[in-house]
Amino acid sequence: MRQIRPFFAFAAVACFVTAVSAQQSPPAEEPGWAKGRPKTDTAMRMAPVPAFPIPTAADKLPTSRFKLPPGFKVETWASGVLDARALRQGAKGNVFVSTLFVGNKVYAIPEQGKHEPKVIVDKMEKAAGIEFYKGSLYLATHKQIMRFDNIEDKLDNPGTPTVLYDKLPGGEDHSWKFLRIHKDKLYYAIGAPCNICDPGEYAKIYRMNLDGSSIETVASGVRNTVGFDFDPKTGDLWFTDNGRDWFSEELPNDELNHVTGPNQHFGYPFCHQGSIPDPEFGWGKSCNDYAKPAALLGPHAGSLGLTFYRGKMFPAKYQGAMFIARHGPWNRTVKYADVSVAFPDGKGGARVEPFMTGFVENNNYLGRPVDFLVLKDGSMLVSDDHAGAIYRISYTGKK
């Protein structure tokens, strides 16, 4: 027994030291998306929907399950496009496709033929923002904006890009980009670096000259937009904005916003959906001091791509309307996703209605729409990063 007692004494000391060390060790840092999450069992099981590591096989795609208004049809335009996000078209018929969390690449797909994706940029982290303009492909990651000149003549070897701006903050939360060029200005956004926080110089839409100079703020209080476009009639900027998480299952709504003047602030983090003060940052603030949404897009809708329909194939009702990709919620018990269409009301607002449904079955995602591209014939492509596919919508009914 005398020999055993020292062993137990040592073990007791070791356990005590381990316990003290555990108490002194800092807790694992909570990811930005989890800030504000309730400690209930249901909420603690929720997390961002993981992307598929491989694209869905062509014969397993949900294309046949989609429903559209009478006269419209949808077909698979391309499959095997892992993590398909933004869509842009070159002058020589190539469709460029960006990626985000899984792909880390940019594809080129010929408009004619078999639509087989060709990787032209690889191992480029968060290569989500793309735009094509005057022969050049603009690409934005979470850290920099660059340009590949004469891209369609160099698809086999695009070469080293020209870096236009290398001071983007990087990070994880809402750091990916969406690009548009309008009147020789490049527009991009820097999203909030968190679910809910004081964003400082983040949560804004910016624009710059095409050489990266003369950066200026277009709009503030924008939590996370990865979808915006310019009204072909008025030139006004419209954008989707993702509402904060963990407020409740039904609140707040995502927003469709309309920029009608300089230096507008759209509320984040003080006010949500134009009418709800934030429980932490809304004290002493009034929602009346911020620009109101043009329309509400649903709770936690994950509203992404926004494109004005500029084609002639669709009926007149849709010409000049905005197509919006509602990617779908992850921190909501009941899932939904669709392609919606928003009709400007001429008074600064818009009316929104569903257009293409069928992305959810048995409360599971079959696909998740991201972005759009109106082709020269007036048909429209829709990217799906969940299934790794691109669909083509055409109209065959009577106008």
Side-chain angles (χ1 to χ4, degrees), residues 50-67:
F52 289 158
I54 58 173
T56 301
D59 61 347
K60 302 295 183 183
L61 289 170
T63 314
S64 63
R65 294 179 170 89
F66 295 139
K67 296 179 175 59

Side-chain angles (χ1 to χ4, degrees), residues 261-281:
N263 303 316
Q264 286 180 293
H265 194 293
F266 289 85
Y268 180 87
F270 313 112
C271 177
H272 309 293
Q273 70 172 53
S275 60
I276 302 175
D278 187 81
E280 181 179 357
F281 293 94

Side-chain angles (χ1 to χ4, degrees), residues 172-184:
E172 294 298 322
D173 296 290
H174 312 139
S175 62
W176 42 97
K177 297 288 169 279
F178 185 88
L179 301 180
R180 288 283 189 197
I181 291 178
H182 179 68
K183 293 185 176 179
D184 289 327

Side-chain angles (χ1 to χ4, degrees), residues 88-96 111 132-136 151-152 376:
R88 297 292 185 270
Q89 187 168 24
K92 299 181 179 180
N94 296 287
V95 173
F96 297 99
E111 183 179 358
F132 182 88
Y133 188 68
K134 293 184 178 180
S136 296
I151 186 65
E152 290 185 286
K376 295 182 180 68

